[in-house]
């Protein structure tokens, strides 16, 4: 899998609200009502990440979840990252 160019990444980001690109990854921060809601979303994301064989780097404190996506084997952001980001957006929008 080949990393996307800066221009391709910026184009993909136009369809993802709240995501940004830096340090060879795309990032977002999500806020939930409470820890239970954050953990529920993380669990649902974990099942999808396993199904896609693409696991996010994430950090959770109480109701906040920070997510970073990068295809480490490719050395940057690929289509795989945007597929996972769209899956995350779908899961979060259902809550």
């Amino acid at each position: 899998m080949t990393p996307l160019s800066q221009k391709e990444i910026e184009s993909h980001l136009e369809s993802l609200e709240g995501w940004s690109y830096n340090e060879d990854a795309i990032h977002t921060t999500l806020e939930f009502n409470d820890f239970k809601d954050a953990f529920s979303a993380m669990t649902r994301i974990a099942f999808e990440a396993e199904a896609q064989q693409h696991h996010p780097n994430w950090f959770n404190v109480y109701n906040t979840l920070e997510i970073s996506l990068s295809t480490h084997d490719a050395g940057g952001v690929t289509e795989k990252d945007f597929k996972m980001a769209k899956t995350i957006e779908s899961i979060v929008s259902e809550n």
Side-chain angles (χ1 to χ4, degrees), residues 19-77:
W19 289 79
S20 62
Y21 171 71
N22 63 53
E23 298 180 13
D24 291 326
I26 56 174
H27 311 272
T28 194
T29 300
L30 306 169
E31 191 170 311
F32 300 88
N33 291 327
D34 54 31
F35 177 74
K36 182 184 79 170
D37 287 347
F39 194 81
S40 175
M42 290 175 70
T43 301
R44 293 181 65 208
I45 293 166
F47 279 100
E48 287 297 323
E50 192 64 20
Q52 292 183 30
Q53 288 297 295
H54 193 51
H55 306 94
N57 292 333
W58 56 15
F59 178 76
N60 165 248
V61 174
Y62 184 59
N63 68 332
T64 304
L65 175 59
E66 297 175 13
I67 300 174
S68 297
L69 297 170
S70 180
T71 306
H72 303 290
D73 294 346
V77 176

Side-chain angles (χ1 to χ4, degrees), residues 1-10 12 21 24 26 74-82:
M1 190 158 288
T2 309
L4 298 172
S5 69
Q6 176 83 24
K7 185 176 181 179
E8 291 170 317
I9 292 168
E10 289 171 2
H12 280 299
Y21 171 71
D24 291 326
I26 56 174
V77 176
T78 66
E79 294 288 344
K80 196 172 185 178
D81 299 299
F82 284 101

